[in-house]
Amino acid sequence: MQSHKTLTAISISILLTWLGLFNWASAEVDCTTVTTLVSSCSSFIEHGFPDPMPGSPCCEGVNSLNVIADTTENKQSVCSCLMGLISTYDANATAIATLPGFCGVALGFVIDPNTDCS
């Protein structure tokens, strides 16, 4: 089991590096990256099931959001992108808002249409 977790962590690190997410000197996080990371939760967002579980691809994506929200500017960017997603997928806004809780991740802001990301 430990080797599976290690392999998963290595795979995610390689993917994040490949995506350029560990380029600490880079500008704000773009919404394409946020959307890509959340896309692994699409079944839950669209249909309400299966519930995301820590360690699942969905939760790994949500955890990656937390990793890239490493500065105030990046946190604001991630927040703004997520607010855009809940505006676009209004009927599924609650599902998007519950992702951090299901995954045990604290993003440092509430995913809610009324959240001010500044």
Side-chain angles (χ1 to χ4, degrees):
M1 184 67 169
Q2 183 63 29
S3 64
H4 177 68
K5 287 182 181 181
T6 302
L7 181 59
T8 300
I10 291 169
S11 297
I12 290 169
S13 295
I14 291 169
L15 175 64
L16 292 176
T17 302
W18 179 75
L19 290 173
L21 299 179
F22 284 135
N23 184 357
W24 303 118
S26 68
E28 295 174 353
V29 175
D30 64 60
C31 290
T32 302
T33 300
V34 172
T35 301
T36 299
L37 291 171
V38 174
S39 70
S40 59
C41 304
S42 61
S43 179
F44 176 72
I45 293 168
E46 293 174 17
H47 307 292
F49 62 88
D51 289 352
M53 305 273 300
S56 68
C58 173
C59 288
E60 294 299 334
V62 174
N63 189 55
S64 294
L65 290 176
N66 194 42
V67 170
I68 64 174
D70 61 332
T71 65
T72 299
E73 294 80 16
N74 286 346
K75 188 176 302 245
Q76 290 170 335
S77 294
V78 169
C79 177
S80 294
C81 295
L82 288 171
M83 295 311 119
L85 284 174
I86 64 171
S87 294
T88 301
Y89 300 101
D90 186 50
N92 306 89
T94 300
I96 296 169
T98 61
L99 290 173
F102 273 112
C103 297
V105 175
L107 294 176
F109 56 87
V110 177
I111 303 174
D112 179 271
N114 300 314
T115 296
D116 179 2
C117 296
S118 57

